[in-house]
Amino acid sequence: DRKIMSFGSGYGGNSLLGKKCFALRIASVIARDEGWLAEHMLILGITNPEGKKKYIAAAFPSCCGKTNLAMMTPSLPGWKDECVGDDIARMRYDDEGYLRGINHETGVFGVAPVASHKTNPN
């Protein structure tokens, strides 16, 4: 039974429309059953001036700047970045042994009033 019961939660992500409850807790069980990992992580693509792209996944607690890191603009000339996801990452190894990651959500989710288009226009 895929059911979440939460009592006395003071964390915004748990109380806002059940977003975290479904998006992470149930997704973690579904992902485990399907051979994936669903985790509270950002995925960021970084391209160096030579055009070589690498991806990083980073797990940080809520309200610590994960979204701002995922949406940063590099200050070093020639470097580029791409926000794949800032909240929930789903990852698994493919048949060739490469770790693949996706953001199964649409858009960027922010509950903190300081995370906005005005504070981070990226």
Side-chain angles (χ1 to χ4, degrees):
D1 189 24
R2 304 217 190 273
K3 177 169 62 172
I4 297 294
M5 297 177 69
S6 179
F7 299 94
S9 174
Y11 168 57
N14 284 337
S15 58
L16 291 174
L17 303 174
K19 184 216 179 262
K20 286 284 186 232
C21 291
F22 183 75
L24 182 56
R25 286 157 184 89
I26 292 177
S28 293
V29 173
I30 295 169
R32 182 200 62 209
D33 294 346
E34 296 176 358
W36 288 77
L37 169 70
E39 189 55 67
H40 190 196
M41 301 174 82
L42 67 87
I43 302 175
L44 179 65
I46 302 173
T47 306
N48 70 15
E50 291 77 38
K52 183 145 180 136
K53 188 177 212 176
K54 298 283 185 176
Y55 290 91
I56 63 168
F60 300 124
S62 296
C63 299
C64 72
K66 196 167 59 255
T67 298
N68 283 325
L69 174 60
M71 297 172 62
M72 71 179 180
T73 300
S75 59
L76 298 172
W79 288 82
K80 300 175 188 171
D81 66 4
E82 171 192 8
C83 174
V84 177
D86 78 318
D87 194 34
I88 307 296
R90 281 192 175 206
M91 297 181 285
R92 73 171 178 165
Y93 287 98
D94 67 13
D95 294 338
E96 297 178 9
Y98 289 99
L99 183 63
R100 303 293 180 177
I102 63 167
N103 172 24
H104 66 279
E105 300 175 308
T106 300
V108 176
F109 180 79
V111 295
V114 296
S116 68
H117 183 70
K118 183 178 178 182
T119 61
N120 193 336
N122 298 314

